Amino acid sequence: MWLIDLVGNFRPQILIVVAMVLTAALMLRLWKHAIAAVLVLVAGLYLALDIPIAPQASTGTGGLRLVGFNLKASDRNITAEIDWLLEGRFDVVALYEVTPAYAKQLERLSARFPHSVVEPRATNYGMAVFSIHPLQNAQVFDPADAGVPAIRALLAAPQGGTEILVLHPPPPVGAHHAEWRNRYLDRIAYLAPLASNRVAIGDLNATPWSAALHKLRRFGGFSFASRFPPTTWPTRFFFPFTVAIDQALVAGNVQVAEIARGPKLGSDHWPI
């Protein structure tokens, strides 16, 4: 089943291939093949569009600006990434794959973001959140009981209290890791909220069409920030050879003005 779900993450790419098959069938007058392709295309479009989307807000309404970024774990210099984060007008910065070496460099962010929770790891699962507003009731916990952390905190912003969840489950490279990822996301879905308004941001290692996110939507009450989120990995390619695994989901009365992809820096992920 994990392999079927893995393929399902590439639903836009599959639809492009089906559209190409339909075009070829029409050109060659293979009517039965064309009809089959149309049926698959219609069903695929329906399933691709049938995901909950957050209410849209107009820009410039005094909302919060969040950025999520997988730094790609290593011991490299991340000065360019830090400069970009400091130059942006962000309220909250969520980072994944934060190594001990990165954590030392990220101390520069404290001048602009005085509130933080930093959980570096020598593996790919370190993470951190920095904020210009206080982070209350902050917790670092292990949803999957697999040594893979998540961070949650109550953001005490002037706009009102909002729960921030920073997530980075394992990638589904095999049935065992897929089970870890699914258990991680499932347990997030059943968490007792810290506030009615919630934002989950992270490298989810799943696209909006993955079954792994079903319980987050159904039981966690989360909606996607966009019906067509920007693709974020890997940066060495371009669409349709990239996927939208870095995502933001919201719950409660949170509205989304815009979601956009940041610049290509030193990571294999684009920030959002």
Side-chain angles (χ1 to χ4, degrees):
M1 292 299 293
W2 71 270
L3 188 58
I4 294 174
D5 180 63
L6 182 64
V7 172
N9 283 290
F10 298 89
R11 191 162 296 173
Q13 291 84 348
I14 294 171
L15 292 177
I16 290 173
V17 172
V18 174
M20 293 171 64
V21 170
L22 173 60
T23 301
L26 291 173
M27 292 177 64
L28 297 173
R29 298 186 178 184
L30 301 173
W31 307 123
K32 291 183 179 180
H33 294 79
I35 292 172
V38 167
L39 294 175
V40 172
L41 192 61
V42 170
L45 284 171
Y46 172 78
L47 292 173
L49 297 176
D50 187 31
I51 58 175
I53 304 301
Q56 299 300 295
S58 59
T59 57
T61 56
L64 296 169
R65 289 171 55 91
L66 288 80
V67 60
F69 194 6
N70 184 323
L71 294 173
K72 186 182 180 182
S74 74
D75 58 357
R76 65 185 174 86
N77 187 295
I78 54 171
T79 297
E81 288 86 340
I82 294 172
D83 288 344
W84 179 73
L85 292 170
L86 289 171
E87 291 166 3
R89 295 176 297 164
F90 302 119
D91 297 283
V92 178
V93 174
L95 302 172
Y96 340 117
E97 299 200 13
V98 175
T99 63
Y102 285 173
K104 184 66 176 176
Q105 298 179 64
L106 291 170
E107 291 175 2
R108 283 183 55 204
L109 293 177
S110 62
R112 172 166 172 76
F113 304 96
H115 309 281
S116 63
V117 180
V118 182
E119 180 69 14
R121 298 284 177 96
T123 64
N124 291 341
Y125 299 112
M127 55 176 45
V129 57
F130 295 84
S131 172
I132 65 174
H133 304 297
L135 296 169
Q136 301 174 347
N137 301 326
Q139 305 170 30
V140 178
F141 61 106
D142 184 357
D145 299 321
V148 181
I151 296 175
R152 68 188 306 212
L154 181 63
L155 180 69
Q159 294 87 342
T162 300
E163 180 179 3
I164 301 294
L165 288 151
V166 181
L167 310 176
H168 185 206
V173 286
H176 190 58
H177 281 77
E179 181 187 355
W180 278 357
R181 180 203 59 182
N182 296 348
R183 185 164 70 243
Y184 182 110
L185 294 170
D186 288 352
R187 290 185 178 175
I188 296 296
Y190 292 112
L191 285 176
L194 296 178
S196 58
N197 291 335
R198 311 173 78 193
V199 176
I201 189 167
D203 173 0
L204 303 186
N205 278 309
T207 68
W209 308 282
S210 170
L213 301 179
H214 173 72
K215 289 183 180 178
L216 268 180
R217 302 195 306 261
R218 182 175 179 183
F219 300 109
F222 284 96
S223 298
F224 294 98
S226 171
R227 192 176 301 280
F228 303 104
T231 60
T232 57
W233 178 85
T235 55
R236 65 181 180 273
F237 297 133
F238 53 86
F239 187 78
F241 306 106
T242 54
V243 288
I245 58 174
D246 298 88
Q247 297 183 49
L249 295 90
V250 301
N253 295 319
V254 178
Q255 297 180 326
V256 178
E258 181 183 15
I259 181 169
R261 192 170 73 179
K264 180 179 178 179
L265 296 166
S267 174
D268 58 346
H269 290 247
W270 281 281
I272 60 166

